[in-house]
Amino acid sequence: MPTKGRVRLVRRAVNSVLAQSYEAFRLVILDDSTKEEAREIIELANSDSRIGYVDRNGIGVSEARALGVQRAKGSFLTFLDSDDYWANRRLERHLDVWADNEIGLSWDVCAEIGGPPTLVKQPFAEGLIEPPRVARKLYLGNFIHASSGFTRTDFARKIDFSWSILSDWLLFMRLAESRAAFFIDDTLSFRSVEPQDRVSNTYSNRFFFRESRKIRRGVLTANPAVYIPASVERSLSRFRRKLRL
């Protein structure tokens, strides 16, 4: 969990982890707060032996996530943004899926909180999805929130996803290229959409457009066999939209 200040939200996120029905977890907080806020977060981390605290010394969110992957000690890995939180059976539900399926990625439904509660539209029904269908759909647009994805630690360590702020999207695409995925059609993750809570507000839409284009070019170059059909589909869709205009 990368964070920078926002102690109230960090406390909510941490409490949602501590309330998990599956208790054998380790939470790694990668913090870049001011001294005063860091002191409060350290106190929170010290409240439970399953929480680790890392001073990330100014590195960005994507690099912090990559550092967290390297620091992880468990077999499985999941992200948690500091303005998000989980339902108390989230870890248990994902581990049950992994016990019964050979997969590289699982994800659940994320609800937006802070305005009218909305759900990200999902392109798949619940269940097992053969590769590379999820990877190709993700190329067209991300539908897996960072705090909703779940994978094996050793799978994540093999992928360099630290070169974009949209690191979760990049990682999930690469995980689903050659491995099956599983969608849990249950709302187990929650994200804050209150303007004062969003780190992404500091970036422009143009910045995210450039980052998205960089990711698409990167994965297309790395694995053209997977992404060329999705790239063609995206180009045709954009062309049709222009014709309608």
Side-chain angles (χ1 to χ4, degrees):
M1 183 173 70
T3 190
K4 184 173 184 177
R6 308 192 301 177
V7 177
R8 175 182 63 87
L9 297 175
V10 172
R11 192 177 303 279
R12 182 182 67 179
V14 169
N15 286 339
S16 78
V17 179
L18 295 176
Q20 291 296 302
S21 57
Y22 181 83
E23 299 180 345
F25 61 80
R26 182 171 184 262
L27 171 62
V28 181
I29 300 175
L30 300 114
D31 188 29
D32 191 30
S33 300
T34 63
K35 283 187 177 181
E36 183 176 337
E37 290 175 314
R39 190 178 301 113
E40 294 186 64
I41 295 173
I42 290 170
E43 288 177 3
L44 184 61
N46 289 340
S47 68
D48 194 291
S49 60
R50 296 169 295 179
I51 305 175
Y53 179 90
V54 178
D55 183 349
R56 59 182 167 111
N57 293 314
I59 65 172
V61 171
S62 56
E63 293 92 341
R65 284 175 177 158
L67 177 60
V69 170
Q70 297 307 314
R71 294 289 187 97
K73 296 181 179 179
S75 299
F76 295 94
L77 178 91
T78 184
F79 297 143
L80 177 59
D81 286 352
S82 60
D83 55 349
D84 298 342
Y85 59 99
W86 293 333
N88 61 8
R89 291 190 62 242
R90 180 176 183 269
L91 296 181
E92 180 183 353
R93 288 289 306 278
H94 280 270
L95 288 168
D96 286 346
V97 163
W98 281 79
D100 297 334
N101 297 277
E102 293 290 331
I103 55 178
L105 170 69
S106 59
W107 81 97
D108 56 77
V109 178
C110 182
E112 295 183 337
I113 305 298
T118 59
L119 302 176
V120 175
K121 186 176 181 181
Q122 295 292 329
F124 297 101
E126 176 163 339
L128 191 69
I129 307 144
E130 292 302 316
R133 292 179 62 204
V134 171
R136 286 174 175 167
K137 281 292 185 183
L138 283 169
Y139 182 92
L140 300 177
N142 191 14
F143 49 86
I144 305 177
H145 184 56
S147 301
S148 296
F150 194 99
T151 189
R152 291 192 65 92
T153 305
D154 57 344
F155 291 169
R157 283 182 177 150
K158 294 174 183 176
I159 298 170
D160 178 13
F161 57 90
S162 64
W163 50 270
S164 172
I165 193 172
L166 304 176
S167 53
D168 53 307
W169 181 35
L170 171 60
L171 174 63
F172 298 154
M173 262 194 281
R174 300 306 306 270
L175 287 168
E177 288 174 357
S178 59
R179 301 180 181 94
F182 196 102
F183 171 49
I184 302 171
D185 191 9
D186 194 2
T187 306
L188 302 174
S189 307
F190 304 87
R191 63 182 298 204
S192 175
V193 294
E194 298 177 39
Q196 67 271 25
D197 293 344
R198 303 299 305 279
V199 172
S200 59
N201 290 337
T202 60
Y203 300 97
S204 67
N205 289 335
R206 186 172 181 80
F207 171 82
F208 283 114
F209 174 79
R210 290 197 302 266
E211 286 296 301
S212 299
R213 184 171 57 185
K214 182 171 70 172
I215 284 180
R216 288 191 174 98
R217 286 176 176 173
V219 297
L220 184 61
T221 300
N223 200 337
V226 167
Y227 294 109
I228 282 177
S231 179
V232 171
E233 180 182 346
R234 184 169 182 270
S235 296
L236 288 173
S237 177
R238 294 172 69 187
F239 179 70
R240 293 190 192 102
R241 284 199 301 270
K242 288 181 179 179
L243 285 180
R244 285 196 292 270
L245 294 175

